[in-house]
Amino acid sequence: MTTRTDCPLCHGDGGTVLFRNAFLRVVDAQEADYPAFTRVILNRHAQEMTDLNQAERSGLMSAVYLVEALQRRHFQPDKINLAQLGNMVPHVHWHIIARFTDDKHFPNPIWGAPRAAADGPDDEPEAARRNAHIRQLVPAYHQDITQSFSALFDDTADTVPEQTRFEQTLQRITDG
Ligand SMILES: [Zn+2]
């Protein structure tokens, strides 16, 4: 497998591992303000999505969409952010972040400026209550990630879930 000596995602998990196969891993990002923040990380070192072949791109995005669907099921967020930046760590990884209109940075990206103080104080107790509630839901969400990925993503070299079964699973999760 391609690795780079100076790359933290080649030499560390990048979070608490919830699922791993030969191709990718899904990790809890361990961000205090965003307890549902999850990452999908390519195991081998590649910098850009177009360094992957078609099957790999498809498999990686299927993983991202599965996490998105599970966040909808468990948290009913106001929006889900999918982000692939890599400016700090140029190793392909996707951020999947459940967002709420009263969260710390909304409507900015979570890496952007926090909300203006003028908007903030009234919402703070509400935001703290909601975050505490989300933290209670996280263990079931993580368990669902592990189970859903184990059911759909083979541990062998086959990187892409069978398409029909995958779409049915997504549908079931988003309808449920
Ligand atoms: Zn790397």
Side-chain angles (χ1 to χ4, degrees):
M1 192 171 71
T2 314
T3 60
R4 277 180 51 158
T5 51
D6 59 347
C7 175
L9 290 183
C10 286
H11 295 280
D13 291 331
T16 305
V17 175
L18 303 170
F19 173 82
R20 186 201 304 266
N21 69 4
F23 173 58
L24 57 75
R25 59 192 184 267
V26 183
V27 308
D28 172 19
Q30 301 177 301
E31 284 280 341
D33 291 325
Y34 296 94
F37 186 166
T38 305
R39 293 192 185 100
V40 169
I41 303 171
L42 182 72
N43 285 335
R44 74 173 168 90
H45 188 89
Q47 180 164 314
E48 308 294 351
M49 286 298 287
T50 42
D51 290 329
L52 279 56
N53 67 34
Q54 194 277 329
E56 291 174 321
R57 288 196 297 273
S58 178
L60 196 68
M61 293 320 294
S62 295
V64 171
Y65 300 142
L66 184 54
V67 173
E68 176 185 294
L70 291 168
Q71 289 194 352
R72 292 178 74 181
R73 168 191 269 176
H74 287 268
F75 306 113
Q76 294 92 43
D78 296 313
K79 185 71 188 81
I80 294 175
N81 291 167
L82 304 181
Q84 207 274 108
L85 305 172
N87 299 340
M88 304 293 284
V89 181
H91 172 133
V92 168
H93 61 285
W94 283 84
H95 306 283
I96 303 97
I97 313 154
R99 301 297 306 274
F100 297 87
T101 55
D102 61 356
D103 73 33
K104 193 174 177 181
H105 297 84
F106 203 91
N108 296 327
I110 68 158
W111 303 279
R115 292 192 309 153
D119 300 342
D122 289 349
D123 287 342
E124 267 172 29
E126 186 61 34
R129 261 198 303 278
R130 191 186 31 67
N131 246 2
H133 177 61
I134 288 175
R135 266 185 217 102
Q136 291 182 329
L137 302 175
V138 161
Y141 164 67
H142 285 170
Q143 193 174 30
D144 208 353
I145 285 184
T146 303
Q147 287 172 351
S148 300
F149 272 83
S150 301
L152 279 171
F153 282 75
D154 210 317
D155 198 31
T156 64
D158 183 14
T159 54
V160 189
E162 196 278 307
Q163 196 61 26
T164 306
R165 203 157 62 93
F166 179 69
E167 290 299 331
Q168 286 169 346
T169 301
L170 275 192
Q171 197 70 50
R172 199 164 58 241
I173 293 170
T174 48
D175 286 352

